[in-house]
Protein backbone atom coordinates (compact mmCIF):
# COMPACT_ATOMS: atom_id res chain seq x y z
CA UNK A 1 0.00 0.00 0.00
CA UNK A 2 2.98 2.34 0.42
CA UNK A 3 4.04 1.91 -3.20
CA UNK A 4 1.68 4.02 -5.37
CA UNK A 5 3.13 2.76 -8.66
CA UNK A 6 2.61 -0.86 -7.61
CA UNK A 7 -0.96 -0.12 -6.57
CA UNK A 8 -1.64 1.55 -9.92
CA UNK A 9 0.02 -1.26 -11.88
CA UNK A 10 -1.40 -4.23 -10.00
CA UNK A 11 -4.72 -2.91 -8.64
CA UNK A 12 -4.78 -5.41 -5.78
CA UNK A 13 -8.09 -6.57 -4.34
CA UNK A 14 -7.03 -9.57 -2.28
CA UNK A 15 -3.67 -10.84 -1.08
CA UNK A 16 -3.04 -14.37 0.10
CA UNK A 17 -1.36 -15.22 3.36
CA UNK A 18 2.41 -14.98 2.75
CA UNK A 19 4.38 -18.21 2.65
CA UNK A 20 8.01 -18.33 3.82
CA UNK A 21 10.22 -20.69 1.89
CA UNK A 22 13.81 -21.84 2.51
CA UNK A 23 16.08 -23.68 0.08
CA UNK A 24 19.43 -25.21 1.05
CA UNK A 25 22.13 -26.71 -1.18
CA UNK A 26 20.70 -29.06 -3.80
CA UNK A 27 17.11 -27.89 -3.26
CA UNK A 28 15.02 -26.62 -6.16
CA UNK A 29 11.39 -26.21 -7.19
CA UNK A 30 10.62 -27.70 -10.59
CA UNK A 31 8.65 -26.15 -13.43
CA UNK A 32 5.08 -25.37 -12.45
CA UNK A 33 2.27 -22.89 -12.75
CA UNK A 34 0.68 -21.48 -9.61
CA UNK A 35 -2.97 -22.28 -8.94
CA UNK A 36 -5.67 -20.06 -10.43
CA UNK A 37 -7.75 -20.26 -7.25
CA UNK A 38 -6.96 -19.19 -3.71
CA UNK A 39 -9.02 -19.67 -0.59
CA UNK A 40 -9.05 -18.12 2.84
CA UNK A 41 -11.45 -18.42 5.76
CA UNK A 42 -14.23 -16.39 4.21
CA UNK A 43 -14.01 -16.80 0.44
CA UNK A 44 -12.52 -18.31 -2.68
CA UNK A 45 -10.69 -15.85 -4.91
CA UNK A 46 -9.06 -15.75 -8.33
CA UNK A 47 -5.25 -15.58 -8.43
CA UNK A 48 -3.99 -13.17 -11.11
CA UNK A 49 -0.49 -12.31 -9.88
CA UNK A 50 2.33 -14.11 -8.12
CA UNK A 51 5.02 -12.39 -6.06
CA UNK A 52 8.40 -13.48 -4.74
CA UNK A 53 10.13 -11.26 -2.16
CA UNK A 54 13.81 -12.08 -1.72
CA UNK A 55 14.87 -12.07 1.95
CA UNK A 56 18.64 -12.56 1.65
CA UNK A 57 21.40 -10.63 -0.09
CA UNK A 58 22.00 -12.28 -3.45
CA UNK A 59 25.68 -12.85 -2.72
CA UNK A 60 24.93 -15.05 0.32
CA UNK A 61 23.95 -18.04 -1.82
CA UNK A 62 24.75 -19.46 -5.25
CA UNK A 63 22.04 -20.61 -7.64
CA UNK A 64 18.42 -20.47 -6.56
CA UNK A 65 17.31 -18.09 -9.31
CA UNK A 66 13.62 -17.68 -10.03
CA UNK A 67 13.18 -18.42 -13.74
CA UNK A 68 9.93 -17.39 -15.42
CA UNK A 69 8.92 -18.48 -18.93
CA UNK A 70 7.46 -15.21 -20.27
CA UNK A 71 6.07 -14.39 -23.70
CA UNK A 72 9.55 -13.02 -24.48
CA UNK A 73 11.42 -16.14 -23.39
CA UNK A 74 12.81 -17.19 -20.00
CA UNK A 75 13.59 -14.37 -17.56
CA UNK A 76 15.82 -15.08 -14.55
CA UNK A 77 15.64 -13.20 -11.24
CA UNK A 78 17.94 -13.21 -8.25
CA UNK A 79 17.29 -9.94 -6.45
CA UNK A 80 18.59 -8.23 -3.34
CA UNK A 81 17.12 -8.54 0.13
CA UNK A 82 13.72 -6.84 0.24
CA UNK A 83 13.35 -6.70 -3.54
CA UNK A 84 10.34 -8.35 -5.16
CA UNK A 85 9.22 -9.60 -8.54
CA UNK A 86 5.52 -9.62 -9.49
CA UNK A 87 4.39 -11.61 -12.51
CA UNK A 88 1.15 -12.88 -14.03
CA UNK A 89 0.28 -16.24 -12.52
CA UNK A 90 -0.24 -17.71 -16.00
CA UNK A 91 3.51 -18.12 -16.50
CA UNK A 92 5.30 -21.41 -15.91
CA UNK A 93 8.25 -20.84 -13.60
CA UNK A 94 10.81 -22.67 -11.46
CA UNK A 95 13.49 -22.18 -8.80
CA UNK A 96 16.89 -23.30 -10.04
CA UNK A 97 18.95 -25.53 -7.70
CA UNK A 98 20.74 -23.80 -4.85
CA UNK A 99 24.47 -24.58 -5.13
CA UNK A 100 25.60 -23.22 -1.76
CA UNK A 101 24.27 -21.07 1.07
CA UNK A 102 20.58 -20.61 1.78
CA UNK A 103 17.86 -18.98 -0.32
CA UNK A 104 14.97 -17.58 1.70
CA UNK A 105 11.96 -15.94 0.12
CA UNK A 106 8.43 -14.87 0.94
CA UNK A 107 5.84 -15.70 -1.71
CA UNK A 108 2.23 -14.63 -1.98
CA UNK A 109 -0.51 -14.37 -4.57
CA UNK A 110 -2.93 -11.64 -5.47
CA UNK A 111 -6.31 -11.10 -7.03
CA UNK A 112 -6.46 -7.87 -9.03
CA UNK A 113 -9.48 -5.65 -9.52
CA UNK A 114 -8.73 -6.00 -13.25
CA UNK A 115 -8.31 -9.60 -14.40
CA UNK A 116 -6.52 -8.99 -17.71
CA UNK A 117 -2.83 -7.93 -17.53
CA UNK A 118 -3.07 -6.05 -20.86
CA UNK A 119 -6.00 -4.02 -19.50
CA UNK A 120 -4.04 -3.27 -16.32
CA UNK A 121 -1.13 -2.05 -18.46
CA UNK A 122 -3.41 0.26 -20.47
CA UNK A 123 -4.91 1.73 -17.29
CA UNK A 124 -1.46 2.30 -15.81
CA UNK A 125 -0.29 4.07 -18.95
CA UNK A 126 -3.40 6.27 -19.02
CA UNK A 127 -2.88 7.15 -15.35
CA UNK A 128 0.76 8.05 -15.98
CA UNK A 129 -0.25 10.12 -19.01
CA UNK A 130 -2.89 11.86 -16.90
CA UNK A 131 -0.21 12.77 -14.34
CA UNK A 132 2.04 14.11 -17.08
CA UNK A 133 -0.84 16.12 -18.59
CA UNK A 134 -1.89 17.52 -15.21
CA UNK A 135 1.54 19.18 -14.92
CA UNK A 136 1.01 20.92 -18.26
CA UNK A 137 -2.71 21.62 -18.52
CA UNK A 138 -5.25 23.26 -16.20
CA UNK A 139 -7.64 20.87 -14.47
CA UNK A 140 -10.56 21.97 -16.63
CA UNK A 141 -8.73 21.71 -19.98
CA UNK A 142 -10.46 19.63 -22.64
CA UNK A 143 -7.52 17.21 -23.26
CA UNK A 144 -7.22 16.45 -19.57
CA UNK A 145 -10.98 16.03 -19.10
CA UNK A 146 -11.22 13.69 -22.09
CA UNK A 147 -8.30 11.57 -20.95
CA UNK A 148 -9.81 11.17 -17.48
CA UNK A 149 -13.18 10.29 -19.08
CA UNK A 150 -11.62 7.54 -21.20
CA UNK A 151 -9.64 6.11 -18.26
CA UNK A 152 -12.58 6.12 -15.84
CA UNK A 153 -14.92 4.56 -18.41
CA UNK A 154 -12.39 1.78 -19.02
CA UNK A 155 -12.31 1.16 -15.26
CA UNK A 156 -16.11 0.90 -15.34
CA UNK A 157 -15.95 -1.60 -18.22
CA UNK A 158 -13.13 -3.76 -16.85
CA UNK A 159 -13.41 -3.58 -13.07
CA UNK A 160 -14.67 -6.77 -11.47
CA UNK A 161 -16.57 -5.95 -8.27
Amino acid sequence: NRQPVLNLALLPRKLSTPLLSRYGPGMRYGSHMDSAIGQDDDRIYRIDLSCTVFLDAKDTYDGGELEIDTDFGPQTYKLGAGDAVFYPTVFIHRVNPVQSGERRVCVFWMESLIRDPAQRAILLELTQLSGWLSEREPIDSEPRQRLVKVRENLYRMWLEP
Side-chain angles (χ1 to χ4, degrees):
N1 287 336
R2 292 180 292 186
Q3 298 297 324
V5 173
L6 276 178
N7 279 320
L8 290 172
L10 305 177
L11 298 163
R13 176 199 321 239
K14 170 76 179 160
L15 285 105
S16 72
T17 302
L19 174 70
L20 296 174
S21 190
R22 181 183 59 81
Y23 296 77
M27 295 177 75
R28 61 186 281 283
Y29 199 118
S31 293
H32 67 285
M33 181 186 295
D34 294 339
S35 176
I37 300 170
Q39 183 172 3
D40 61 19
D41 293 337
D42 58 343
R43 76 177 190 104
I44 293 174
Y45 57 94
R46 188 184 68 248
I47 296 176
D48 300 312
L49 297 152
S50 299
C51 178
T52 298
V53 181
F54 293 81
L55 301 177
D56 297 302
K58 57 185 172 182
D59 61 355
T60 62
Y61 62 98
D62 294 317
E65 301 86 1
L66 171 64
E67 189 172 311
I68 303 169
D69 295 336
T70 73
D71 294 338
F72 305 104
Q75 302 294 315
T76 303
Y77 300 89
K78 184 176 177 183
L79 304 179
D83 292 336
V85 59
F86 289 85
Y87 53 97
T89 302
V90 298
F91 290 143
I92 293 173
H93 56 284
R94 68 202 58 77
V95 175
N96 292 329
V98 172
Q99 304 300 321
S100 65
E102 187 173 82
R103 174 193 193 261
R104 295 181 304 164
V105 297
C106 175
V107 294
F108 63 92
W109 299 271
M110 178 185 311
E111 179 183 54
S112 177
L113 291 166
I114 307 292
R115 177 190 307 236
D116 186 287
Q119 292 172 340
R120 285 194 303 271
I122 289 168
L123 290 168
L124 175 62
E125 188 151 356
L126 287 172
T127 299
Q128 291 171 326
L129 182 57
S130 177
W132 178 84
L133 200 56
S134 71
E135 295 172 358
R136 290 157 178 79
E137 296 279 336
I139 194 165
D140 60 348
S141 74
E142 185 177 350
R144 193 163 168 215
Q145 299 261 332
R146 291 179 75 182
L147 177 63
V148 169
K149 176 183 174 185
V150 167
R151 183 190 66 203
E152 295 306 311
N153 283 330
L154 288 174
Y155 272 114
R156 285 182 184 89
M157 287 171 50
W158 295 338
L159 191 82
E160 297 192 16

